[in-house]
Amino acid sequence: MTDLNYDVAIVGGGVTGVAAGIAAARSGARTVVLEPRPFVGGNATTGLCLHSFLTRDMRQTVFGIAQEMVDRLIAVGAAVGHVPYGGFVSAVTPVDGDWFRIVAAEMLAEAGAQVIYGASVVGVERDGATVTGLVTAMKGGLRTVRAASYVDTSGDADIATFAGCPTRKGEEGTGKMQPVSMLMHFHNVDTKTIAATIGEVAPAMATRPDHPEPIPVYFNGTFSAWNDVIEREGIFPNRDHKVFFNTVWPNRINVNTSAVFGVDGTDPLAMSRAMQDLTQQCVRAGNFIRKHVPGFEGSYFMPQVVAGVRESRNIVGEYEITKEDVLEGRKFNDTVGQICFPVDIHHPDTGQAYFVDVGGDGAFDVPYRSLLPQGVDNLIVAGRCLSATHFAHGATRNMAPCLVTGQAAGTAAAMAAGRNAPLARLDVSALQDRLAEEGAYLGRAFERNAATV
Ligand SMILES: Cc1cc2nc3c(=O)[nH]c(=O)nc-3n(C[C@H](O)[C@H](O)[C@H](O)COP(=O)(O)OP(=O)(O)OC[C@H]3O[C@@H](n4cnc5c(N)ncnc54)[C@H](O)[C@@H]3O)c2cc1C
């Protein structure tokens, strides 16, 4: 079969790959997004909040394609904007998962990016420090996809791994990774009663133009009130089990509470077993919730089709984002955007979530170098698998950061392809100018620099 040729090839049409594809195509590059599933949007399609656009003190630090997507989702009634919340984060941005994939696909098409569904990259061809092709399994057999620049948005750093770049997995020392989980979708619920019964603090309340009253759209809490029945019936392995709720609708809610431990998201056999375990766990938990928790009487539910991986491989790139970078809210000259969501780690052994706020002014910069794998010149990595320690990854893995780093990586890949220059030696100030032109936010320091030029 003949090779397929592009300027930029993006591997993985998840949250990050969507932003990368839109950015690269808008920059004029002939862009392809390769995605095994029959939809784009990755984990955002499971029905979650895009955490987070605003710092603890309610200063917005994420704009660009991320904000455009929220605006487009609001326009179709599938988002309610950034809603203040008094819990572990100051504002939440819930979106409908199915509408996310629909809007994402529209935006990719409008930008001119081609998406090939049913396409899994299973190897790379490499000549010295240059990736020369992607060995891609698709209907009909293996096909080689060639481009000047490649973007790894696979979540698992698959391309960097195939290319032989250094990577690492999980907690330093133990290699333990956060648990995998599966969302549940409940219909015909009374969200106000649920929030009043389980919410740790007052729920995030939003208004919709098509509904008369404000509705709860986000809250979290525990099933502590049902510890005895949970223990007796073996619903969850622990007491005081945590649960997270989100929605944009008046009478539907997504419930995030399942977990399977010790699963390596890059191992297809382990993931297949986890898929089965999670589905059964969701059925058990869903029946318990319907029977016992006020607000769920008369509801019906469905476990999500796919399981979500919080943590697997990360590249060890030209720079690794550290705990101190997060705790001090550090800034970098080669910033390509900011992250303001707290570190959010679901403990690898217990699954219980803990949160640590970003320090300094509440946001840290993502250095361009943290997107660059070592040893290859024309590959850039973004999203969940960029270069960060286990602790820092607790912040970088979330979806607003993924959209920020995806936009930066797609833009950089297009610029490098256009100039026939290696990504590793791209003029970062030119990239920053281009990102700023496209509405991305690079932080106050960059604004000051730009103003004095
Ligand atoms: C249960 C759960 C709840 C979460 N809750 C939140 C939340 O409330 N808010 C928040 O902001 N974040 C949340 N997160 C984190 C966040 O959703 C993910 O970290 C984020 O979606 C990662 O984006 P990504 O683009 O890197 O990966 P993904 O969205 O997973 O996309 C990766 C894509 O690459 C494709 N792919 C993989 N390998 C290949 C290959 N070899 N070839 C081609 N394509 C490939 C996949 O099919 C997929 O579409 C949650 C995560 C989980 C698991």
Side-chain angles (χ1 to χ4, degrees), residues 12 14-16 35-36 43 49 51 121 154 158 308 384 397-399:
V15 184
T16 316
E35 171 54 49
N43 210 48
C49 295
H51 289 322
V121 176
S154 65
D158 278 1
R384 180 159 67 77
R397 74 185 181 88
N398 290 285
M399 291 192 280

Side-chain angles (χ1 to χ4, degrees), residues 20-273:
I22 295 167
R26 283 184 184 171
S27 300
R30 287 176 307 132
T31 302
V32 69
V33 178
L34 303 168
E35 171 54 49
R37 297 168 177 168
F39 56 88
V40 288
N43 210 48
T45 64
T46 64
L48 292 161
C49 295
L50 305 179
H51 289 322
S52 182
F53 289 68
L54 276 71
T55 61
R56 171 62 69 195
D57 62 5
M58 297 295 277
R59 187 168 56 87
Q60 184 163 351
T61 66
V62 173
F63 294 89
I65 289 172
Q67 182 61 45
E68 270 182 62
M69 295 192 80
V70 174
D71 293 340
R72 296 273 291 244
L73 287 161
I74 292 172
V76 296
V80 286
H82 310 304
V83 188
Y85 183 55
F88 64 89
V89 64
S90 60
V92 291
T93 312
V95 298
D96 181 82
D98 285 310
W99 278 101
F100 187 93
R101 70 178 160 78
I102 293 165
V103 165
E106 277 171 10
M107 290 176 73
L108 282 164
E110 284 167 19
Q114 180 180 4
V115 181
I116 306 181
Y117 297 104
S120 255
V121 176
V122 294
V124 304
E125 292 175 7
R126 183 178 162 168
D127 181 7
T130 306
V131 173
T132 54
L134 303 171
V135 184
T136 310
M138 54 179 94
K139 184 81 176 163
L142 292 181
R143 225 153 157 188
T144 306
V145 176
R146 297 195 192 280
S149 306
Y150 299 87
V151 185
D152 185 342
T153 50
S154 65
D156 297 325
D158 278 1
I159 308 315
T161 306
F162 294 145
C165 308
T167 60
R168 53 154 213 89
K169 278 181 186 167
E171 206 174 50
E172 289 77 15
T174 67
K176 286 184 180 176
M177 292 172 262
Q178 299 186 49
V180 295
S181 294
M182 184 179 275
L183 270 284
M184 280 182 275
H185 308 295
F186 281 84
H187 300 249
N188 200 33
V189 292
D190 176 351
T191 51
K192 281 190 179 160
T193 301
I194 303 165
T197 309
I198 293 202
E200 240 162 33
V201 297
M205 300 293 289
T207 49
R208 295 181 56 91
D210 55 3
H211 194 72
E213 296 167 357
I215 55 168
V217 291
Y218 188 83
F219 49 96
N220 63 291
T222 69
F223 289 116
S224 301
W226 300 275
N227 272 344
D228 290 349
V229 59
I230 284 169
E231 241 168 16
R232 196 171 58 242
E233 296 180 13
I235 307 293
F236 301 117
N238 56 307
R239 294 170 73 81
D240 307 322
H241 192 79
K242 288 195 176 171
V243 56
F244 300 82
F245 299 91
N246 73 84
T247 187
V248 298
W249 310 108
N251 57 357
R252 283 168 53 179
I253 202 145
N254 303 320
V255 180
N256 181 7
T257 194
S258 66
V260 171
F261 302 95
V263 179
D264 180 344
T266 66
D267 174 350
L269 302 186
M271 273 306 287
S272 300
R273 278 194 303 275

